[in-house]
Amino acid sequence: MLYREAGQFKASYAEDARIFPIRQDRIGFWVLMLVFGVAVPLLADQYWLKAILIPVLIFSLAALGLNILTGYAGQLSLGSAAFMAVGAFAAYNFILRIDGMPFLVALVLAGATAALVGILFGLPSLRIKGFYLAVATLAAQFFIVWALVKFPWFSNNSSSGVVTAQDVTILGYTFASPEAKYILTFLIVVVMALLAKNMVRSSTGRAWMAVRDMDVAAQVIGFRLMRTKLLAFAVSSFYCGVAGALYAYTYIGTVEPEAFNLDLSFKILFMIIIGGVGSIMGSFLGAAFIVLLPIFLDNFVPMIFGQSLGAGFVSNFQLIVFGGLIIFFLIVEPHGLARLWQIAKEKLRLWPFPH
């Protein structure tokens, strides 16, 4: 009853093509914007902002990039963390080596650099697909991290390979406090999520989904496979590159290759599996779930099994829970948490009637 769209008429093409065609969705979106954009920075403490909310937003952006490539275009990738590393080091070097480089411009250039690298490693998708493409992107993960360590120019000849990220300054204002960094990250993620939502509803998104469902049939009816696949790699890598730059500048505060290892790539993959493959909202739900679950287990497991447990047991138990959840979602609900939310909305449309 609360989610029924009866009486909401669309009198123009613009109304029919809205991102949120239902009034309740538009109201819910603006309520979320007010809560997370205004109330959270005012009420949340520094721990929640620095350790939970900022990484959730950044990982949501990285998961969104992977979801564009894997969920919408059907191209498997295990190199998301490597493209994040390209974005982080590119932003660092643009700001370091070009005097007066604005941070937002460096962010866009970092994403463009990651997109170029993504196109380069996306070329094998023209000949191979499935498991073999995943192995090719896995090679990108190892090669990019190796190159960042091997060539000290990327880290400004730092002996340890770890460099401190520069201050985030926009129009003379320095984003130094956790609240300021959270608001900046929040605004960037919201804008890019809306752009992705529009993109997957456009002809580009329809081309990606056609290639995902049946690439041979898509080619027969006129879709250009090379342009469609490489564009998916470019857009996905751009999102991951921006996420990597934000990861370095608004989260950890340093730029280092080891922060973008293979474990991070698998974590981003788990986010879209649990959140929902081929879903914008699923990227956010999966990122929040993956970030919050270890914190929950760190506090919950000692309460159940006793305080004498070592850190090794808790970490191994987390891996067991992650594996079990992935198997559960692949078997019971392959479309993840986003599908559960979609089912709940359908129930609200029909309530109190059974069908």
Side-chain angles (χ1 to χ4, degrees):
M1 183 179 296
L2 297 176
Y3 197 74
R4 206 162 293 164
E5 63 267 29
Q8 300 182 33
F9 303 107
K10 303 176 180 66
S12 65
Y13 288 111
E15 293 179 356
D16 188 54
R18 284 177 173 176
I19 297 180
F20 304 107
I22 302 176
R23 184 186 304 116
Q24 290 89 332
D25 286 340
R26 295 194 295 273
I27 295 173
F29 171 78
W30 287 113
V31 169
L32 288 176
M33 293 301 101
L34 290 175
V35 170
F36 288 100
V38 178
V40 167
L42 294 176
L43 301 177
D45 56 15
Q46 290 193 2
Y47 171 76
W48 270 88
L49 291 173
K50 294 174 63 176
I52 298 177
L53 295 175
I54 290 178
V56 166
L57 290 173
I58 294 172
F59 287 136
S60 298
L61 189 60
L64 183 56
L66 181 60
N67 227 335
I68 289 174
L69 181 63
T70 301
Y72 287 100
Q75 309 299 306
L76 297 179
S77 175
L78 294 176
S80 303
F83 301 127
M84 289 179 65
V86 173
F89 276 89
Y92 170 77
N93 281 281
F94 278 124
I95 297 175
L96 175 68
R97 304 182 190 283
I98 302 178
D99 293 334
M101 169 64 70
F103 176 76
L104 293 180
V105 176
L107 205 64
V108 174
L109 293 177
T113 304
L116 293 176
V117 177
I119 292 175
L120 178 63
F121 285 99
L123 290 175
S125 67
L126 305 178
R127 292 292 183 181
I128 58 178
K129 57 184 179 180
F131 171 77
Y132 302 99
L133 180 59
V135 173
T137 55
L138 183 63
Q141 170 69 45
F142 290 112
F143 175 79
I144 290 174
V145 174
W146 171 84
L148 294 175
V149 174
K150 185 68 174 178
F151 300 99
W153 182 88
F154 294 111
S155 58
N156 197 26
N157 298 308
S158 174
S159 58
S160 62
V162 181
V163 291
T164 302
Q166 301 93 336
D167 293 334
V168 179
T169 303
I170 300 176
L171 298 177
Y173 178 77
T174 301
F175 292 78
S177 64
E179 293 82 4
K181 290 183 177 180
Y182 168 79
I183 293 174
L184 175 63
T185 306
F186 174 76
L187 292 176
I188 293 174
V189 171
V190 168
V191 170
M192 296 190 69
L194 291 176
L195 290 176
K197 183 71 173 178
N198 264 330
M199 196 180 307
V200 298
R201 295 165 62 244
S202 66
S203 58
T204 301
R206 291 193 292 270
W208 287 340
M209 289 182 276
V211 172
R212 174 197 64 189
D213 295 336
M214 184 66 70
D215 55 352
V216 176
Q219 188 177 22
V220 169
I221 63 176
F223 288 104
R224 299 172 61 181
L225 291 186
M226 182 179 72
R227 185 178 67 179
T228 302
K229 290 183 178 181
L230 292 184
L231 181 60
F233 269 96
V235 174
S236 171
S237 301
F238 181 88
Y239 273 72
C240 290
V242 174
L246 292 175
Y247 184 85
Y249 279 85
T250 64
Y251 179 36
I252 59 176
T254 59
V255 185
E256 57 176 324
E258 294 303 323
F260 306 98
N261 53 21
L262 182 61
D263 291 341
L264 183 58
S265 290
F266 277 110
K267 183 182 291 187
I268 297 171
L269 179 62
F270 297 159
M271 289 176 188
I272 68 170
I273 292 176
I274 294 177
V277 178
S279 169
I280 302 296
M281 177 178 288
S283 303
F284 290 88
L285 296 177
F289 190 89
I290 293 296
V291 173
L292 292 174
L293 182 62
I295 299 174
F296 172 77
L297 293 178
D298 287 340
N299 295 278
F300 180 74
V301 172
M303 292 174 56
I304 299 298
F305 297 98
Q307 298 291 335
S308 60
L309 296 175
F313 176 83
V314 177
S315 62
N316 290 329
F317 187 76
Q318 290 180 7
L319 295 176
I320 294 173
V321 172
F322 276 127
L325 286 173
I326 291 171
I327 295 174
F328 172 80
F329 278 102
L330 288 176
I331 295 175
V332 178
E333 187 50 76
H335 296 288
L337 296 173
R339 176 57 183 166
L340 298 180
W341 170 242
Q342 185 179 2
I343 293 174
K345 291 199 299 183
E346 292 173 357
K347 295 292 184 182
L348 288 174
R349 288 180 180 179
L350 298 177
W351 187 86
F353 304 105
H355 53 76

